[in-house]
Amino acid sequence: MFVRTLDDVIGTERDIAWGNGQSRRLLVEADNMGFALLDTIVNAGTDLEIQYKNHLEAVYCVEGKGSITDLATETKYEIKPGVMYVLDDHDRHRLRATEDLRLICVFNPPLKGNEKHDINTPGSSY
């Protein structure tokens, strides 16, 4: 057993500034849990096309508002506290934050911990 707090992560190599927010990696591959757990901030005004070619992701919103669009179907979903979305097929998607979003994210397989989005390249992935 171990315990790690958000304060333990902030300001360390697990606190990644990715250009449009912060990704606080509470669990990564080195923790040997088989998944990664992140507390992620997406800054208001973000409009980002993403695709995770190597990971599946489940996301739960705890603060803020925005939307996610499935780019294969153009279906748009509202994101607000209490909403979960799942990227279960390496889905290409557009994430928009109308307010700062705070998202709890689970990745499988786990992130190594130092990955970043390339916010200047549509469809960036890791």
Side-chain angles (χ1 to χ4, degrees), residues 4-94:
R4 182 172 293 133
T5 70
L6 186 58
D7 286 340
D8 293 336
V9 172
I10 292 174
T12 73
E13 71 281 349
R14 290 177 180 243
D15 186 2
I16 306 293
W18 55 273
N20 283 21
Q22 289 296 126
S23 178
R24 278 88 183 239
R25 282 108 194 253
L26 293 159
L27 290 174
V28 296
E29 184 179 64
D31 294 312
N32 295 313
M33 291 298 298
F35 61 91
L37 180 66
L38 288 63
D39 185 321
T40 299
I41 305 297
V42 181
N43 294 338
T46 294
D47 184 350
L48 185 62
E49 183 181 321
I50 312 169
Q51 181 179 24
Y52 301 119
K53 296 178 181 176
N54 302 307
H55 303 277
L56 303 178
E57 182 187 25
V59 178
Y60 182 73
C61 179
V62 295
E63 292 178 17
K65 292 184 181 175
S67 65
I68 185 164
T69 302
D70 178 337
L71 293 178
T73 65
E74 293 299 321
T75 305
K76 183 178 176 179
Y77 303 92
E78 181 181 1
I79 300 172
K80 61 183 181 179
V83 171
M84 179 193 71
Y85 65 87
V86 176
L87 304 168
D88 61 346
D89 194 25
H90 307 286
D91 309 277
R92 229 176 90 240
H93 60 285
R94 176 174 302 283

